[in-house]
Amino acid sequence: MSELPKSQNFDEKWPRYYQAVAGRVPRNTLLAALERFDNEEPDKKGRFAVDLGCGEGRDTVELLRRGWRVLAIDGNAEAFERMLARPDLQNVELLETKLGKFQDTTWPETDLINASFCLPFCPPEYFSQLWEKIVQSIRVGGRFSGQLFGDRDDWAKIPTHSHFTQAQVEKFLEPFEIEVFNIEEEDGKTALQEPKHWHIFHIVARKK
């Protein structure tokens, strides 16, 4: 495993991260969830999604393009500045943004919670409360799409991050029918080209 990142202050890294991922395509977990919604009701209008940790908007932009109403939530104001400046941003009238940290933020009932690679940044003392908010806010038949990080991930050594065993993740998903559950574990690099051992659970799940 690689060494613990020299800086645990990820707030200072977000601007460089946004620059590094600019223009990347939507996450596969979001696309898999949207495909399942379309297979169920291809012409349904007015679907509503909450994009947690929306960042520079790679997933929010795709949801808007497909005509979803979106509440995009992030703890960094620069994320919204970059999102609103994107040339591929469509249907802006369907977008609402909200600045806030996981532990301080609420949102209404929703068809989809999308949380791409953001949940590990929730401090462990708030994670149970956050996950309960996620589960309770998803309508029956709605979905969760996103990632949780495993206990063998390099960042699991950072005490302000939330990481879990496979058994713990499966327990979290008991209120759901699991549609995608892919485990990725490999040595690689972060978007900022820092070496990292990844242990990730890629998830799409439908609320029972």
Side-chain angles (χ1 to χ4, degrees):
M1 287 191 177
S2 60
E3 294 181 359
L4 186 69
K6 293 180 181 179
S7 172
Q8 295 187 29
N9 181 12
F10 281 79
D11 288 345
E12 68 186 26
K13 293 187 176 184
W14 289 126
R16 289 193 292 132
Y17 171 79
Y18 299 148
Q19 185 65 37
V21 301
R24 292 194 184 181
V25 298
R27 300 287 187 184
N28 287 335
T29 40
L30 172 67
L31 296 177
L34 294 178
E35 179 181 4
R36 285 165 171 79
F37 278 112
D38 288 343
N39 287 340
E40 292 169 351
E41 297 180 272
D43 299 319
K44 184 173 180 181
K45 304 297 182 183
R47 292 193 183 115
F48 174 57
V50 174
D51 191 9
L52 286 177
C54 61
E56 88 303 345
R58 64 196 290 182
D59 289 344
T60 292
V61 164
E62 179 65 15
L63 286 159
L64 293 170
R65 187 185 71 81
R66 294 175 182 236
W68 283 66
R69 292 187 301 112
V70 182
L71 172 60
I73 300 174
D74 203 280
N76 191 313
E78 184 174 337
F80 303 123
E81 295 171 8
R82 289 179 175 268
M83 181 193 303
L84 294 172
R86 290 179 63 123
D88 55 349
L89 184 65
Q90 304 176 38
N91 299 323
V92 181
E93 70 279 3
L94 299 177
L95 173 64
E96 179 184 353
T97 60
K98 191 171 188 178
L99 179 66
K101 297 184 180 299
F102 291 126
Q103 59 267 31
D104 302 324
T105 306
T106 59
W107 54 84
E109 187 178 56
T110 183
D111 298 297
L112 172 66
I113 293 278
N114 182 64
S116 294
F117 284 83
C118 67
L119 296 183
F121 296 94
C122 177
E125 62 266 30
Y126 299 115
F127 190 88
S128 294
Q129 174 189 348
L130 171 62
W131 187 254
E132 184 65 18
K133 283 195 292 186
I134 288 172
V135 173
Q136 292 302 319
S137 66
I138 299 174
R139 299 184 179 105
V140 173
R143 287 179 169 84
F144 169 84
S145 59
Q147 285 74 27
L148 291 169
F149 281 15
D151 57 319
R152 295 188 296 276
D153 191 276
D154 267 355
W155 288 351
K157 294 175 285 188
I158 301 176
T160 54
H161 283 196
S162 291
H163 291 253
F164 305 99
T165 66
Q166 182 173 340
Q168 287 175 309
V169 173
E170 290 171 350
K171 183 71 174 177
F172 292 147
L173 295 175
E174 286 182 352
F176 298 88
E177 172 193 349
I178 298 173
E179 298 177 316
V180 174
F181 191 81
N182 295 330
I183 303 172
E184 176 184 352
E185 185 167 4
E186 64 179 7
D187 292 324
K189 293 184 177 181
T190 70
L192 300 181
Q193 298 305 304
E194 298 165 339
K196 181 178 186 291
H197 183 81
W198 295 96
H199 183 202
I200 310 169
F201 303 101
H202 301 277
I203 301 163
V204 177
R206 186 177 187 271
K207 180 85 171 285
K208 295 177 183 176

